[in-house]
Amino acid sequence: MSDLSGRIVVDSFDVTEFRRTLGCFATGVTIVTARGADRQRIGMACNSFSSLSLDPPLIQWSLAKCSRNHAAIHDANFFAVHILDARQTHLCKQFSAKGGDRFAGIELETGLNDLPLLKTCHARFECEMYAQHDAGDHTIIIGRVRRLYQSSGNPLIFYRGALSAFDAQTA
């Protein structure tokens, strides 16, 4: 169906169409890290990250309930969100892969509460768990930012199913 201007308007849709339309919104690409109850390192790629509040300083991201990391993140007291640099496509792919050691070959440093932190990234937020909310097939994770870091460069973005660089110099 089209509206008067000729734009396509969809009143009923399936999950694939919904996902494709969500892909029209460019997002940054992040890696979330934490430690499980057994002190095992947890790491995953995430593009559902956003700011939430300045006072107190809160950020949010969402995690699929079917994720192999869901239970461990649910029980974590601290986590870190790393915004990837435009040159870190390989990290997104490594932390998105099924199985294997996602931390293999990655240079790390230690953060709050022994958090595993990527040594290089565009920006980073070290957070204490603030709240978790049920949201359909995901859980919304809210963190209170305790420490932050930023560097120069350009962020990696995800748009319409593809990774690319955002060049702040030409924007």
Side-chain angles (χ1 to χ4, degrees):
M1 162 186 316
S2 296
D3 67 6
L4 296 177
S5 67
R7 295 176 299 178
I8 295 173
V9 179
V10 179
D11 291 332
S12 62
F13 50 86
D14 61 17
V15 172
T16 303
E17 188 65 24
F18 182 52
R19 186 179 185 120
R20 188 177 307 121
T21 304
L22 288 171
C24 292
F25 182 66
T27 64
V29 181
T30 69
I31 302 292
V32 176
T33 59
R35 288 222 182 253
D38 58 359
R39 306 303 298 153
Q40 184 75 9
R41 294 182 304 207
I42 302 164
M44 69 200 92
C46 172
N47 73 330
S48 63
F49 165 82
S50 69
S51 61
L52 183 60
S53 169
L54 294 176
D55 187 17
L58 302 176
I59 56 96
Q60 65 182 353
W61 58 283
S62 60
L63 177 62
K65 291 178 182 175
C66 65
S67 168
R68 70 180 186 180
N69 296 306
H70 191 271
I73 291 292
H74 182 271
D75 295 337
N77 293 318
F78 291 85
F79 61 86
V81 177
H82 306 78
I83 298 173
L84 295 186
D85 182 90
R87 298 163 294 185
Q88 294 181 306
T89 301
H90 65 287
L91 288 180
C92 178
K93 292 177 180 176
Q94 184 167 334
F95 280 85
S96 297
K98 304 280 187 218
D101 179 4
R102 292 180 173 174
F103 290 91
I106 305 296
E107 216 176 331
L108 299 173
E109 54 190 30
T110 303
L112 294 173
N113 201 42
D114 199 32
L115 280 173
L117 302 177
L118 305 180
K119 192 161 188 168
T120 59
C121 60
H122 188 59
R124 177 176 57 229
F125 301 90
E126 292 177 64
C127 301
E128 185 173 5
M129 188 65 75
Y130 186 82
Q132 298 180 39
H133 299 286
D134 181 65
D137 60 359
H138 280 64
T139 299
I140 299 170
I141 309 292
I142 299 173
R144 182 182 180 113
V145 178
R146 295 298 183 183
R147 281 202 308 205
L148 44 81
Y149 161 87
Q150 60 181 297
S151 68
S152 60
N154 293 306
L156 183 62
I157 61 168
F158 187 70
Y159 178 69
R160 290 199 164 171
L163 296 168
S164 77
F166 174 79
D167 186 352
Q169 303 294 328
T170 61

